[in-house]
Amino acid sequence: MLARARDEARTGLAEGGIPIGAALFTRTGQLLGAGHNRRVQDDDASLHAETDAFRRAGRRRDYAETVMVTTLSPCWYCSGLVRQFNIGAVVIGEATNFHGGHEWLASLGVEVLLLDDPECTALLGEFIRERPELWHEDIGL
C-alpha cells in the first residue's frame, strides 16, 4: 500500500509539485482512491495528498474500515480530515521531515502505524533541500 502512495509522491514531483502521496484503502487492501499534493499544480492550497486521495475515493457511508496511507505524517488539516470522517487507520511513510498530527489521532483511537520508510524520507528531504521556499509555503512557515 505504501508503494502506491510513494508512486503518487513521485508523480507530484514530476509535475513540479511537492512530493507527498497518499492512498485510501479498505482494510482488505482494495484501493478506493489515490492522490498527491497538488497545491502547486492546481493553485489550490487545500489539495494536500490526503485530501486528493479522499476526494478521488468518492462517497462512502462509513470510513471506519478504511486506511489512509500517506508518505508523510499528516498535517493538522489532513489529520482533521481523518478525524472528521472517522477513518480507522493511518499508515505513515515517515515523520522525520515533518511531524504532524498522528500522535493526536492515535490518542483519539485511530490506529497509527509509522513505518520510517527511508525512500519516503529521502524523497521529501531532497525536495526540502532543493526547494525550501516551496516547502515552507506548504507547511505555513
Side-chain angles (χ1 to χ4, degrees):
M1 292 191 290
L2 183 60
R4 180 58 193 260
R6 273 195 314 257
D7 288 346
E8 288 289 334
R10 288 186 196 100
T11 298
L13 182 62
E15 293 173 353
I18 298 166
I20 302 169
L24 187 65
F25 292 90
T26 65
R27 289 219 184 234
T28 60
Q30 176 190 358
L31 177 65
L32 300 171
H36 51 275
N37 185 304
R38 302 180 57 79
R39 294 180 70 254
V40 173
Q41 299 92 313
D42 290 6
D43 196 29
D44 182 345
S46 71
L47 264 176
H48 288 203
E50 296 87 345
T51 58
D52 193 30
F54 183 78
R55 288 173 179 175
R56 293 174 188 271
R59 290 178 51 209
R60 297 185 64 81
R61 179 159 167 58
D62 185 14
Y63 292 90
E65 292 302 313
T66 63
V67 179
M68 180 65 76
V69 180
T70 179
T71 58
L72 183 65
S73 176
C75 69
W76 288 107
Y77 170 61
C78 295
S79 294
L81 173 95
V82 169
R83 175 69 174 141
Q84 175 69 32
F85 290 95
N86 196 32
I87 293 172
V90 179
V91 175
I92 302 163
E94 65 109 346
T96 302
N97 288 300
F98 179 78
H99 192 100
H102 66 270
E103 290 172 347
W104 172 69
L105 289 170
S107 77
L108 297 170
V110 176
E111 185 181 338
V112 174
L113 177 61
L114 176 57
L115 300 176
D116 289 321
D117 180 74
E119 276 187 73
C120 292
T121 304
L123 182 64
L124 184 59
E126 184 176 326
F127 176 83
I128 292 169
R129 283 188 296 282
E130 292 177 1
R131 300 289 312 273
E133 76 292 342
L134 190 53
W135 171 246
H136 290 151
E137 174 190 323
D138 190 63
I139 60 171
L141 292 180

